[in-house]
Amino acid sequence: FFFLMIRRPPRSTQSRSSAASDVYKRQVSTQSTWGIHFFRGFRTVVPMEHLNSAAEYAELVHAAKRRKEENETKERQGVDANECLSIYLVRDEADMVANTNRFPAGYTNQIFNEDEMIYGYEGLAINLFVTSGSLEVLVDYNYTKKEENADDIERMLTENLFVDGFLTDREQFKAALQRNQSFFPFGKEVFRYSREEGEYIAFETKFSDVGFPEYHRRMQIFSKLFIDAASYIEESEYWTYLILYLFKGDVNLE
């Protein structure tokens, strides 16, 4: 299927709050030539005459924190999320075995880490099996080695990608594949055309159609995976949706 969406401008990165503003309300003393400051476990050594305000001090603290985080990141074992995550559109169990209709992820910075890495694993492979019509998802992943402080993959997927959750049990997904056989598009047909690969049929639907809100939430996962800086659009009865489906084989929509 294909889904037409309007891309929103990317959200600007929120500025860091002044972590020291509630602690240091006065100017830093300039009596000493050098000062060694400890703040929440971060040490920074600076000429005192360069610190004229609490805001400057807070910025130094943030810089030290960023350096510490960068050094810790370099020490951790990481894998490229875009390379290890694969999406499969499947119609039946045979498609799962054949591993056909595979799509590599385009963007994962909003799902895992900003640098599009997943830390704490070696030999990691994440497979998202998606039923071709109803869009129910099975998350299946494996690895050769996992560190004690490894990223929590299921938590990241739950919080950042799947609004209504996902399946992890293959038997439950087999039941989803059975439901997929009787899936019928929402709304009404507005036009169709044929190509070598099959029949393309477009359907127009409203958000108020029974069952479509849940379907729409499952559909939106593709926006974050394939559109840079995409965000989920609001759920509103004022939207009209035009969805294009590809039908293979005999098409009977009666």
Side-chain angles (χ1 to χ4, degrees):
F1 67 91
F2 296 88
F3 180 43
L4 177 64
M5 296 183 64
I6 299 175
R7 177 185 171 185
R8 293 181 174 180
R11 297 179 180 177
S12 59
T13 303
Q14 294 183 352
S15 60
R16 295 176 179 267
S17 61
S18 177
S21 60
D22 58 342
V23 179
Y24 296 91
K25 298 294 184 180
R26 59 180 178 79
Q27 284 191 337
V28 180
S29 172
T30 58
Q31 294 179 356
S32 303
T33 302
W34 291 84
I36 301 178
H37 300 273
F38 293 87
F39 186 83
R40 294 184 182 179
F42 304 105
R43 185 181 72 171
T44 178
V45 183
V46 297
M48 292 299 291
E49 62 269 19
H50 292 173
L51 295 179
N52 298 319
S53 67
E56 292 182 9
Y57 182 81
E59 180 57 33
L60 282 169
V61 170
H62 289 312
K65 181 179 179 180
R66 287 194 296 270
R67 288 195 298 272
K68 182 175 184 294
E69 291 175 346
E70 290 171 357
N71 291 334
E72 289 178 346
T73 297
K74 293 178 181 178
E75 294 174 359
R76 299 181 66 190
Q77 180 70 37
V79 294
D80 189 320
N82 291 340
E83 293 183 359
C84 70
L85 192 149
S86 299
I87 303 100
Y88 298 89
L89 285 178
V90 295
R91 293 169 295 180
D92 48 38
E93 292 183 51
D95 281 348
M96 294 182 66
V97 176
N99 285 339
T100 56
N101 300 323
R102 175 186 179 273
F103 301 89
Y107 303 95
T108 54
N109 57 299
Q110 294 193 88
I111 304 169
F112 299 109
N113 296 293
E114 290 185 1
D115 58 0
E116 297 188 319
M117 298 289 287
I118 302 176
Y119 291 99
Y121 297 88
E122 291 182 13
L124 177 64
I126 305 174
N127 297 315
L128 306 184
F129 294 101
V130 186
T131 56
S132 58
S134 55
L135 304 183
E136 296 187 65
V137 180
L138 169 70
V139 174
D140 180 77
Y141 64 96
N142 55 77
Y143 47 82
T144 57
K145 182 180 178 181
K146 179 181 179 181
E147 297 176 0
E148 184 177 352
N149 63 337
D151 289 338
D152 188 334
I153 293 174
E154 292 190 22
R155 178 186 62 79
M156 289 176 161
L157 290 172
T158 300
E159 294 179 354
N160 303 322
L161 187 63
F162 296 104
V163 176
D164 286 344
F166 51 84
L167 300 174
T168 56
D169 184 87
R170 282 182 171 263
E171 292 301 317
Q172 292 181 354
F173 189 68
K174 289 179 181 179
L177 287 170
Q178 292 297 320
R179 292 191 293 270
N180 186 63
Q181 300 304 314
S182 59
F183 171 78
F184 189 88
F186 295 89
K188 61 180 180 180
E189 179 183 339
V190 290
F191 66 86
R192 66 170 63 192
Y193 59 92
S194 299
R195 291 289 185 269
E196 182 180 350
E197 60 271 19
E199 187 87 3
Y200 288 91
I201 306 178
F203 287 80
E204 180 182 288
T205 184
K206 299 285 188 180
F207 198 79
S208 56
D209 288 353
V210 176
F212 184 73
E214 294 79 11
Y215 183 76
H216 176 257
R217 295 184 198 118
R218 295 196 294 271
M219 183 187 298
Q220 287 211 87
I221 68 172
F222 296 98
S223 61
K224 283 191 175 181
L225 289 168
F226 296 106
I227 303 176
D228 187 19
S231 59
Y232 290 163
I233 62 175
E234 63 184 6
E235 298 185 354
S236 171
E237 61 183 6
Y238 299 106
W239 285 90
T240 297
Y241 300 84
L242 188 65
I243 306 173
L244 184 65
Y245 297 86
L246 168 61
F247 289 83
K248 295 186 176 182
D250 295 332
V251 180
N252 183 8
L253 300 180
E254 298 298 330

